[in-house]
Amino acid sequence: MGFLVAAACGLVGNYLILRRMALVGDAISHSVLPGMAIAFLLTGSRGSVAMFLGALAAGVVTTVIIETIHKRTRVKQDSAIGIAFTSLFALGVVLINIFAAKVDLDQECVLYGEIAFIPLEPIVSVAGFPLGPPTVLRMAVVAAVTVSLVLVFYKELLVSSFDSGLAVSLGINATLVHYALMSWLSVVVVSAFESVGAILVIAMLILPGATASLLACRLPLVHGLAVIHAALSSVLGMHLATWLNCSVAGAMVVAATGLFTLAWVFGPERGLSRRWLRTTANEPESGAPPAAASR
């Protein structure tokens, strides 16, 4: 389950990093609260389907609000993100306090997830063949669709992420690609936060892509390294959580951060150690004594 979440988030996160919109995932993860509150008020149910649809609608609305504020006013995108997610999060808190103060919406699940309890869920079977817990199946479908979308729309996503003007000149509707990407980001975030929580899903969006970008420049290789990073952080996080008897999702993020640190320090081209060795090798040439240079 951890690998599915990290891989799907990492693939989408690569495009967020390219577009310098990494914090949009943060905004969406915080803005799902009013969607869940409204879904509960409309249906009277705390079931997964109602909560998922409410959170998904809130995520899409958040994206539309951010883009509307950014494009229709002089407010910059980072400020628009801050306005959107703080306002919607506050709206969710007010709605819960007024209409659902006596209802337990399991806020810890929203913030920290409950990936350790997924094995306790009932197993879904088809024709007597057990497939797995519903949460895992849903995330597997989301991850598979994410990979398919990246493969099918690779050119559109690549060109519009680097240069929207070039994309328009090539006949690509950059605005449509952008909203489609943000909408799918909402699906991925909402599907993932039930397992790793609204806060930790932000790390899953950014750390795989950030680590891969330190090791490679070409986007296909960055995607591959992000998936490898997702697998390693999931396995190492599970072992770390078992060893320390702590949150699995938190341990996965700690492991992912450790991998990022290793890439930052020992990266083959951009790592600190490589840059230090390069500087040391050039020291006699570039560090010529001023006195000698003046002679």
Side-chain angles (χ1 to χ4, degrees):
M1 180 64 186
F3 168 71
L4 295 174
V5 171
C9 289
L11 291 175
V12 178
N14 286 336
Y15 293 104
L16 298 182
I17 293 174
L18 288 177
R19 294 165 181 253
R20 300 182 179 180
M21 299 178 61
L23 291 182
V24 170
D26 184 17
I28 292 176
S29 64
H30 281 81
S31 304
V32 298
L33 191 59
M36 297 173 66
I38 293 174
F40 171 75
L41 294 176
L42 293 177
T43 64
S45 170
R46 293 185 298 162
S48 298
V49 176
M51 295 294 104
F52 180 82
L53 293 178
L56 179 59
V60 175
V61 169
T62 303
T63 303
V64 174
I65 291 176
I66 292 173
E67 291 303 311
T68 303
I69 294 176
H70 174 52
K71 293 186 176 179
R72 301 294 180 182
T73 68
R74 299 179 62 184
V75 176
K76 294 187 180 299
Q77 193 169 47
D78 56 345
S79 300
I81 292 173
I83 293 171
F85 91 76
T86 53
S87 302
L88 291 175
F89 186 78
L91 176 63
V93 172
V94 171
L95 288 175
I96 290 176
N97 286 337
I98 294 176
F99 300 106
K102 296 181 180 179
V103 178
D104 180 17
L105 286 179
D106 200 357
Q107 298 177 12
E108 288 192 0
C109 171
V110 175
L111 294 177
Y112 308 117
E114 51 181 17
I115 192 171
F117 297 103
I118 289 179
L120 303 179
E121 294 182 356
I123 303 297
V124 176
S125 300
V126 176
F129 182 76
L131 296 178
T135 306
V136 176
L137 296 179
R138 185 174 63 210
M139 199 64 225
V141 171
V142 170
V145 174
T146 301
V147 174
S148 301
L149 291 175
V150 169
L151 293 175
V152 173
F153 299 104
Y154 177 79
K155 185 183 74 173
E156 289 79 1
L157 290 168
L158 175 66
V159 177
S160 62
S161 296
F162 279 103
D163 191 338
S164 58
L166 176 62
V168 173
S169 67
L170 294 175
I172 299 173
N173 191 333
T175 303
L176 179 61
V177 173
H178 175 75
Y179 278 108
L181 177 63
M182 292 301 108
S183 298
W184 189 249
L185 170 66
S186 302
V187 174
V188 173
V189 168
V190 172
S191 302
F193 82 72
E194 185 175 354
S195 302
V196 298
I199 296 176
L200 298 182
V201 74
I202 305 163
M204 300 297 185
L205 283 170
I206 299 174
L207 280 172
T211 305
S213 64
L214 292 176
L215 302 174
C217 296
R218 295 182 60 82
L219 187 57
L221 191 54
V222 170
H223 281 323
L225 290 173
V227 174
I228 294 174
H229 179 280
L232 290 176
S233 60
S234 302
V235 174
L236 294 175
M238 181 61 71
H239 286 284
L240 183 63
T242 303
W243 179 40
L244 298 177
N245 191 24
C246 62
S247 165
V248 177
M252 284 177 56
V253 175
V254 171
T257 305
L259 295 174
F260 170 79
T261 304
L262 290 176
W264 181 28
V265 175
F266 300 106
E269 293 295 333
R270 305 175 186 178
L272 292 179
S273 59
R274 178 65 177 171
R275 292 167 60 185
W276 179 78
L277 291 174
R278 193 178 297 150
T279 303
T280 304
N282 295 333
E283 189 173 8
E285 180 180 352
S286 59
S294 63
R295 289 177 185 172

